[in-house]
Every structure is written in structure tokens, then in C-alpha cells.
Amino acid sequence: MLRLAATTARRSATARFLASAKHAAKPRPPERDLSSRQLFAALGLRTFSREELRQRFDAADADADGYLTRHEAAELFGGALDVEADRKAAARAVLRRLDKDQDNRVSWDEFRSTILEEASRRDRRIWPLAGTMFLGGLSVGAVMPIMPILVSELGLGPADYGVVISAFGFAKLVGNVPAAALVESLGRRPLVAGGLLMIASGYGVTAFADSTLDLAGARALTGLGVAGLVTGSSMAAADLSTPLSRAATQAPLGASFNAGTIMGPAIGGGLAALVGPSATFAAVGGFVALDAIFARVMLSETRGLGSLEDGPPPDTNISTIVRRVKRSLQDSPELRRLCVANYAYWATLAGASMTVLPLVLATDLGGLQALGPGQIGALFAGQACISVVGAVPAASLADKYGPATMIPPALLVYAAAFGALPFASAHSYEAVACAMALQACGSCLLGSAPSAAAVNAVPDKDRAAALAALRVCGDVGLLTGAAALGGVAAWAGTDAAFFCASFGLVASAARFRWAAPVST
């Protein structure tokens, strides 16, 4: 009897265990951590205007009762998610994100306020990238005062030095399109880290260069690295932002780079005094290599951030990017006018600011005593400080009123500065400092507006191509502007060069406004 009872008890316990195991093995409804970018992609949002939001809400509200339910939220992902369980999980994620009063449905006010709040917020993942750009700017600033010393030690003349400088600009120009192809196929983080490694290699080769050809090759390698770094960082900023936060997301990158550039010369000059120019280049190259490791470890990969499903990288090559560049320029008048304005800005920067202005400051062409290298450096450092301080407020204005809206005023302020320089240089260097401060304000207003507007002007799949087109035009301006305005200065004087720069900027601002789409 006791044996029968024990057997019955064992069978009962086994049955309970199996039942509990069967219950535990029952799959739970999958949960999905839906990101803001995935939600925006599912809704098909591009401009985030009130009209677009209303249209998307009404389209999702199938029964027109003024609320989005879980079933209606699941229908948002019908074309993107093939598995019903995934659609249900995404729908629950939508309700968690948008349903503020937790009543299992989303009203129009909840929908609009939450979408605008999240679309306007700067993504925190931009800050490690800003740190990477700061370290990159620190290295660039560190080698600025050393390059002329190294050139002098190698016995290079002005023509040789011109070849060295041109090698950097030409390599950067040529590298824009391949970098745009790589950023789509490899991702943003590998291109940032790889670009830094190429810059580090360029500095390392510079340390052992003993001829014009060696130095030009090293600078070309650095230019290719800069193309990769700028492409990777700008695409990451585009991935992390929306039209309501694009300029504010990109602004920390430029501000961080400028801040590093301001601090770098003191570090580089002190190091060169201790170990010499060549060893300083080697040390800076090692520092940039460490920055590449930091980027590889700390940065988040943002390619496909708005995609609902993981998939293989797109089949993108240089020919594909070239076709996309051509198509984007043909289909987007907005991109064309942005490219023209960007060319005008960089041509003026290279010709008037980098070529003619230092010549005026270093000589007595205006009837004033020439400034020393330290005083000239302080003036340009002051411009960089204005750029750092004003970057974020200017970006906030660009996001509020639209990045394209900021471009004509910025060009006009820039033009006013160069128009005032001939009169300022005839009176005092305090007046020149004020004109240079005004120039910095114009540059600060422009900021990341062209890049942000270019990203907004094309479909998401063409963003890399649009940014490549914008950078190519800017680099062409950088290469041609110095020769053009330098030639004007040699033929008709520096005042004529400044007036030509000012007139060109005014004409560019007028053309930009005249060529604006009718809807704006």
C-alpha cells in the first residue's frame, strides 16, 4: 500500500513538472526596442512639418476615430516586417513610445508632441564623435607651426612648398567620391577610424621625408585620410539627426575640431622645441593613431539606423556613387544652388582669407606697421574662438528657420567683412581685427548649414552622393580661389582682391535666393 502511494506521488510530481515545463517553454510575445529613427522611417517622415504629421496620422488612423490603436500601429509596418509577431512587437513599441497617458491608444496631440520632441532632440551618440574630432583638430593644430620649419630645413622653395600644399587639396578632392562609396559599403565607424589611420600614416611619412616628392606624397596621404574622416563623421551626424536637429547635431563636430585646432599650435610648438620638427610629426602621428583606436572602440555604427531589419550592406561602388551624384544634381535644383554657394564660400576663404589677408597683415601694404607671427596667429585664433562659441547658437537658428535660410545672410555678412577690410587696413589693426571678427561671424552663421541642407534635399539613399558633390565643389573652390584672388592681388592690389571677393559673395547670395524653389 505504501509502495503504491509512493509511486502515485512520484507520477503526480512528474506530471506537474512536465506541465510546468510545457508552460515555461511557451514562447513569450517578442519585444522590440524600437528606435526613434525606425519609427520615423515606418511613418515615412521627411520634413516633420505639421501638414506631413497630420497626413501620416490620418493615413494610419484607419477607422478615423482620432486615435491609433495597437492594430493600426501594427499596420504601419506591414510593408517592412513580414512576420506578424514582429509587427505586433513593433506596434507595442509604438504605443510605449507615443502613448503618454497609458490608455493603449494614441491621440493626435500625443502623436504630434512626442514625434516633434524626439525629432528635435540631439542624439547623445554624437558626443564621442565630437571627442574624436577634437583630438583630430588638436593634431592638425599641432603641426601647423611646424610645417614651415620642416620645409625650411629641407631647403624647399616657394614653388616646392606650393606643390606640397596642392597635393593635400588635390588628394582630398579626389578622395571624396571613393570615400562616399566606402561609407555606404563599409559603414561610418570604419571610415572614421580608417581616415584617422591614413592621417597618422601621412604624419609618419612626413617625419622621414627628405625631398619634395616625399613630402607631397605624405600630404596627399593626409588629404585622403581627411576625406575619409569628414565623410564618415558627416554621414554619422546625418544618420543621428532629422531636419529638426540636423544643424545642431553637426555643430559639435566643427566646434570640437576648431577647439582642438586652437589648442594644438602651443602643444606642437613646445614639442618641436624639445625634440625637433621630424620627431614631433612622428609623435603627432602616433597620437592620431591612438585617436583612431578610440574611434573604433567608442563610436557607434549608425549605418542603417532607421532600418527595421538587419540586412547586408548595399552593393555600392565608385561608379554607383558617381551616377548618384549626377542624378542628384540633375534632379535637385536645391543641391545645385547649394554647391554653387559652397564653391563661392571656399574659393573666397582660400583666396581672400588664407592668401591675401595674411599678406596684408605681414607687410605694410596698408600703410601700417607689419604684424609679427604671434600677432597674426592671435588674430586667426580669435576667429577660431568665435567659431567655437557661436557654433551651437548658429546651429539652433538653422534648425529653427531652416539651414538654407541661413546661407544668404551668412554670405552677406562674410561679404561685408571683406568689403570693410581695405578701409580697416588703412586706419588701424584694431579695425582689421573687427573686420576679421565680422568675417568669423559670417562663417559661424554658415556653419553646417550647407551640409544639413544638402542632406535634406535628397532621398536618404543619396545622402552620401549629395555630400560628396557638396565637398567636391568646396574643394574645387579651395584649389582655385587662392590662385584667382592671389592673381587679382598681384595685378591690381590687395584692395581690389578684397572688393572682388566681396562682390562675388554678394552675387552668390543673390543667386542663391533667386534660385530658391518656389515653395520656399
Side-chain angles (χ1 to χ4, degrees), residues 163-420:
V163 171
V164 171
I165 297 300
S166 298
F168 173 86
F170 183 75
K172 184 174 178 293
L173 169 64
V174 172
N176 284 320
V177 173
L182 291 174
V183 80
E184 292 284 41
S185 58
L186 298 180
R188 287 47 164 160
R189 182 172 62 179
L191 206 63
V192 171
L196 288 169
L197 284 178
M198 292 188 72
I199 295 172
S201 300
Y203 288 158
V205 174
T206 302
F208 299 99
D210 58 3
S211 67
T212 302
L213 184 61
D214 292 342
L215 201 56
R219 293 300 293 166
L221 188 60
T222 304
L224 291 175
V226 170
L229 174 63
V230 173
T231 300
S233 59
S234 59
M235 283 298 293
D239 295 336
L240 293 170
S241 60
T242 72
L244 302 184
S245 64
R246 192 142 283 151
T249 301
Q250 291 179 348
L253 303 183
S256 299
F257 189 87
N258 287 335
T261 304
I262 294 171
M263 299 173 58
I267 298 174
L271 191 60
L274 291 175
V275 300
S278 295
T280 300
F281 267 102
V284 173
F287 176 78
V288 178
L290 291 177
D291 190 19
I293 296 175
F294 171 84
R296 186 66 181 84
V297 174
M298 298 300 296
L299 299 186
S300 302
E301 178 54 60
T302 61
R303 186 188 62 186
L305 194 62
S307 176
L308 294 166
E309 293 181 333
D310 296 331
D315 183 15
T316 305
N317 50 40
I318 295 178
S319 61
T320 302
I321 291 297
V322 170
R323 287 195 299 270
R324 288 182 179 178
V325 168
K326 292 181 179 178
R327 186 180 66 245
S328 298
L329 289 172
Q330 290 172 354
D331 296 344
S332 176
E334 178 74 357
L335 182 60
R336 291 199 297 271
R337 71 173 186 145
L338 288 168
C339 287
V340 172
N342 205 46
Y343 170 84
Y345 169 75
W346 283 102
T348 305
L349 180 68
S353 184
M354 295 181 178
T355 303
V356 181
L357 182 57
L359 180 65
V360 171
L361 297 177
T363 63
D364 56 356
L365 294 179
L368 302 174
Q369 185 178 0
L371 295 182
Q375 294 169 306
I376 295 175
L379 285 174
F380 283 102
Q383 284 188 317
C385 288
I386 293 174
S387 298
V388 171
V389 173
V392 174
S396 298
L397 290 175
D399 284 330
K400 182 177 180 179
Y401 297 106
T405 306
M406 301 296 295
I407 293 177
L411 293 178
L412 291 176
V413 171
Y414 210 58
F418 287 114

Side-chain angles (χ1 to χ4, degrees), residues 32-221:
R32 175 181 287 271
D33 184 15
L34 191 69
S35 71
S36 298
R37 301 301 177 273
Q38 290 173 322
L39 175 59
F40 300 157
L43 291 168
L45 295 174
R46 282 193 53 82
T47 65
F48 292 83
S49 64
R50 181 184 178 89
E51 293 75 14
E52 184 186 53
L53 290 174
R54 186 78 238 189
Q55 182 182 7
R56 298 295 186 269
F57 181 85
D58 292 341
D61 183 17
D63 57 7
D65 64 346
Y67 294 93
L68 297 184
T69 62
R70 181 176 298 179
H71 174 73
E72 291 170 334
E75 292 301 315
L76 292 173
F77 306 93
L81 299 176
D82 296 331
V83 182
E84 183 179 359
D86 288 340
R87 289 198 297 271
K88 291 180 178 179
R92 286 193 294 271
V94 170
L95 291 180
R96 283 197 306 271
R97 189 171 292 276
L98 301 180
D99 185 15
K100 292 185 175 181
D101 58 8
Q102 301 298 313
D103 63 350
N104 290 322
R105 58 182 188 172
V106 178
S107 67
W108 157 246
D109 290 336
E110 289 174 319
F111 178 85
R112 178 177 175 272
S113 62
T114 307
I115 292 292
L116 291 179
E117 179 183 348
E118 296 200 10
S120 302
R121 185 183 299 124
R122 183 192 290 121
D123 197 302
R124 289 178 296 179
R125 284 171 288 187
I126 199 65
W127 296 115
L129 184 56
T132 299
M133 297 300 289
F134 170 77
L135 297 177
L138 197 67
S139 67
V140 170
V143 302
M144 285 175 63
I146 309 172
M147 181 62 77
I149 300 175
L150 183 63
V151 169
S152 177
E153 289 185 354
L154 293 177
L156 302 184
D160 296 323
Y161 190 43
V163 171
V164 171
I165 297 300
S166 298
F168 173 86
F170 183 75
K172 184 174 178 293
L173 169 64
V174 172
N176 284 320
V177 173
L182 291 174
V183 80
E184 292 284 41
S185 58
L186 298 180
R188 287 47 164 160
R189 182 172 62 179
L191 206 63
V192 171
L196 288 169
L197 284 178
M198 292 188 72
I199 295 172
S201 300
Y203 288 158
V205 174
T206 302
F208 299 99
D210 58 3
S211 67
T212 302
L213 184 61
D214 292 342
L215 201 56
R219 293 300 293 166
L221 188 60

